[in-house]
Amino acid sequence: MATQIYCVKADIEAIWPAAELLASVDDDGGGTLSATELGYIDRAIERAANFINARLEMRYRVNDLAANTWCRDANAALAAYWLSTRRGDAAPAQLQQQYDAYVTALTEIAAGRLKVPQQIDSFDTSPGLTNFEIDLGQPHRKAKVVDETSI
């Protein structure tokens, strides 16, 4: 099953200057990106999406989130952060702040204390109640669900 991703390289460049993005993956110093170097960007986007999906999939169908702008921005911020630190350097302050904010929000969403902005939960996570009726005349299935009073 393919990973649901939310952003593209241009979304990362919208929050991090293209020259800095290039420098973070231009291992040969050629000033242009080889297929391998472009792969680093694609892989960071995919890793960030997997990180997001792992925290959201208990409450949302990830394909329902495909067009969500908050998910797009979170995906770009996480990918940019990871790309900025791939050589062991500290992330620029603005990327560190965004990363911390999105990780905190994702933790809160996973815990049920926040929701993804502009998104309705895909699954009903409210507690339910099942009422049973006991029929002692039945030898094996004595308890049965009473649909009329169960929620």
Side-chain angles (χ1 to χ4, degrees):
M1 185 169 165
T3 299
Q4 172 62 57
I5 62 170
Y6 307 97
C7 77
V8 294
K9 180 177 167 257
D11 296 316
I12 296 172
E13 292 171 339
I15 61 168
W16 194 30
E20 291 183 38
L21 174 59
L22 172 66
S24 76
V25 296
D26 188 11
D27 291 343
D28 63 11
T32 59
L33 297 178
S34 67
T36 299
E37 293 164 342
L38 279 170
Y40 297 148
I41 296 171
D42 293 341
R43 183 67 184 109
I45 290 170
E46 184 180 22
R47 282 181 55 219
N50 283 332
F51 185 86
I52 292 166
N53 292 340
R55 283 143 186 85
L56 300 183
E57 64 190 359
M58 294 301 289
R59 292 177 56 191
Y60 304 94
R61 280 184 210 86
V62 293
N63 59 340
D64 289 350
L65 301 169
N68 185 280
T69 57
W70 186 89
C71 290
R72 178 202 62 209
D73 295 342
N75 198 166
L78 297 179
Y81 172 83
W82 287 334
L83 288 167
S84 74
T85 61
R86 72 178 279 271
R87 290 193 180 122
D89 298 326
Q94 81 275 12
L95 294 183
Q96 183 70 55
Q97 289 169 342
Q98 289 181 47
Y99 175 82
D100 292 343
Y102 281 113
V103 168
T104 299
L106 286 164
T107 301
E108 293 294 304
I109 291 167
R113 292 185 288 267
L114 287 178
K115 292 184 175 218
V116 172
Q118 294 89 41
Q119 192 68 40
I120 297 170
D121 287 1
S122 300
F123 306 110
D124 182 9
T125 58
S126 59
L129 173 67
T130 303
N131 289 309
F132 293 94
E133 182 177 88
I134 306 299
D135 183 354
L136 298 175
Q138 297 292 324
H140 298 289
R141 295 186 59 180
K142 294 185 185 310
K144 65 179 183 176
V145 174
V146 180
D147 290 325
E148 298 82 31
T149 59
S150 298
I151 52 171

